[in-house]
Amino acid sequence: MNMMSTILISAALSVPVTARACDLALVLAVDVSGSVDTTEYRIQMDGLAAGLRDGVVSEALVRANAAVALVQWSGTSRQRTVVDWVRIASFEDTEMLARQIEETPRAWRNFSTAIGEALQHGTNLFDAVPDCRRRVMDVSGDGQSNEGVEPVEVQRFARAAGVTVNALVIETDDTDLTGYFWENVITGEGAFVVTANGFEDYPERIRQKLVRETTRQISKLEQ
């Protein structure tokens, strides 16, 4: 090795390595209220884990240096962060997160549906990841809010915090739950609702939803 090569290598090693910026913080907020039975709970957890393992989703999370957290929610004062922020810097991080979600016990098995308080809890979580450029909350549910603050009253709070709220609606009867979530729950630039026709449709819909959100992130990064 000549003198010039040695100087160049030494100079490169002396430059501090700057951590990649976080381009996406994602809160996954899952309904575990009394309308969700044991099998349906398992479908949601396994479906989320499979969606995160999807090649397109996993790659997008790594490229965005994303931060992901999981919240389980039910009635008033029953919202819990069951998986705190996980930073996704590698595919191994994504796999670790997927396993945590699969192994996470259910926080509650009864109680009502307090969507507004779930939105409040999820929005407050973003204070812990101020370095993340984009803030997104995924709310899944199979019923309208019937307890606590109305979700429409929390929309302004979420928007002021720079949070985009998307939803995955699980239709189980002839109630227009999709329309309810469009009007009362989602908010922010480009917010959208994905509809699952029953819990058996959940795994594919949550995968599609995650692909839509994370690949949109990639396209912005490449502009």
Side-chain angles (χ1 to χ4, degrees):
M1 182 179 296
N2 60 38
M3 181 66 69
M4 181 59 68
S5 297
T6 302
I7 292 172
L8 290 174
I9 291 173
S10 298
L13 292 175
S14 67
V15 175
V17 177
T18 303
R20 287 184 298 143
C22 171
D23 287 293
L24 174 65
L26 177 64
V27 170
L28 304 168
V30 179
D31 181 0
V32 296
S33 60
S35 60
V36 178
D37 65 27
T38 301
T39 299
E40 292 163 349
Y41 169 77
R42 191 71 267 151
I43 288 172
Q44 289 187 92
M45 294 298 101
D46 291 347
L48 269 177
L52 291 167
R53 288 186 174 111
D54 179 89
V56 174
V57 174
S58 184
E59 180 180 0
L61 290 173
V62 172
R63 293 180 66 179
N65 199 30
V68 184
L70 175 66
V71 170
Q72 292 183 8
W73 59 272
S74 181
T76 299
S77 301
R78 291 180 174 86
Q79 301 81 36
R80 183 178 300 170
T81 305
V82 292
V83 177
D84 210 347
W85 291 109
V86 174
R87 297 284 182 153
I88 307 297
S90 67
F91 293 110
E92 289 75 17
D93 293 334
T94 307
E95 177 59 27
M96 180 188 70
L97 173 61
R99 288 181 181 176
Q100 281 185 269
I101 291 174
E102 287 174 327
E103 296 168 1
T104 296
R106 184 172 184 168
W108 299 280
R109 285 178 169 77
N110 297 304
F111 306 107
S112 299
T113 303
I115 300 175
E117 294 193 20
L119 295 179
Q120 288 180 323
H121 180 87
T123 298
N124 287 331
L125 287 182
F126 291 102
D127 290 343
V129 286
D131 58 311
C132 294
R133 183 178 63 85
R134 192 163 71 100
R135 299 175 166 193
V136 177
M137 190 187 327
D138 279 337
V139 179
S140 65
D142 71 340
Q144 297 185 12
S145 190
N146 55 25
E147 188 172 81
V149 61
E150 290 295 327
V152 70
E153 297 177 15
V154 188
Q155 287 178 323
R156 184 180 300 175
F157 172 60
R159 285 196 301 272
V163 177
T164 296
V165 179
N166 299 323
L168 193 156
V169 170
I170 305 165
E171 296 275 13
T172 57
D173 53 34
D174 57 1
T175 302
D176 183 17
L177 193 59
T178 298
Y180 173 83
F181 271 71
W182 271 108
E183 294 295 326
N184 298 277
V185 178
I186 68 169
T187 189
E189 180 184 358
F192 63 91
V193 177
V194 170
T195 302
N197 294 313
F199 278 89
E200 63 277 5
D201 195 31
Y202 176 91
E204 177 58 20
R205 297 306 178 191
I206 190 63
R207 186 193 69 81
Q208 292 174 352
K209 187 168 184 287
L210 289 169
V211 166
R212 179 173 174 179
E213 289 169 334
T214 57
T215 54
R216 174 169 168 254
Q217 182 66 20
I218 282 181
S219 66
K220 286 191 173 184
L221 288 174
E222 293 178 342
Q223 285 176 359

